[in-house]
Amino acid sequence: MLRRGDYLVLLISLVMLPWLYINLWGDQLAGDYVRILVGGEQLELVSLNQSTTLEIKGELGLSLLEILNGKIRFIDSACSGKQCVHSGWISKGGEVVSCLPNRVSIAILGGEQRFDSINF
């Protein structure tokens, strides 16, 4: 039931998908620094080229952050849902993780910034 044109469209799609993935979602440059915000104000600017654990005082209590091998993550936070903890490691320029109830955010700076539909 497929015609020659249908096969041509299928072939072009199969060739274009890997190319689009590599060029649009491929490797990003890792970030150099992490900006730590508490209540919307910058608390610290920390290098990702170290291994450390940070205790950040938020509105509800402490948030524990871990920096290791150029990546950062929330280990624990004083919020109830722990969505920030479940977000895992981030390392690429432009990535952001926030603990909204505790008003603590981390954002990766440097590298190649990724833009999506929520940026303006």
Side-chain angles (χ1 to χ4, degrees):
M1 313 263 188
L2 294 176
R3 298 185 180 151
R4 260 186 280 173
D6 296 332
Y7 286 113
L8 182 61
V9 169
L10 239 148
L11 179 65
I12 291 171
S13 298
L14 290 174
V15 169
M16 290 296 293
L17 282 174
W19 181 83
L20 288 170
Y21 179 79
I22 289 168
N23 286 311
L24 299 178
W25 293 101
D27 290 336
Q28 280 181 275
L29 297 175
D32 301 317
Y33 296 94
V34 62
R35 176 186 295 150
I36 301 171
L37 302 168
V38 176
E41 306 223 353
Q42 182 170 318
L43 178 68
E44 286 188 63
L45 188 62
V46 180
S47 173
L48 287 173
N49 298 324
Q50 59 182 319
S51 296
T52 188
T53 302
L54 303 170
E55 291 184 354
I56 306 299
K57 177 80 170 113
E59 189 172 300
L60 300 176
L62 286 179
S63 288
L64 295 176
L65 306 174
E66 178 182 19
I67 299 174
L68 184 66
N69 298 326
K71 301 180 286 188
I72 187 168
R73 69 176 176 158
F74 277 87
I75 297 174
D76 192 26
S77 193
C79 59
S80 60
K82 307 282 187 214
Q83 292 300 317
C84 52
V85 175
H86 298 302
S87 294
W89 294 99
I90 61 172
S91 63
K92 309 295 185 204
E95 289 183 309
V96 176
V97 176
S98 298
C99 180
L100 295 178
N102 204 23
R103 300 193 57 162
V104 175
S105 297
I106 55 176
I108 304 294
L109 303 176
E112 181 181 330
Q113 300 288 321
R114 292 203 70 169
F115 296 100
D116 59 24
S117 61
I118 62 172
N119 293 81
F120 17 82

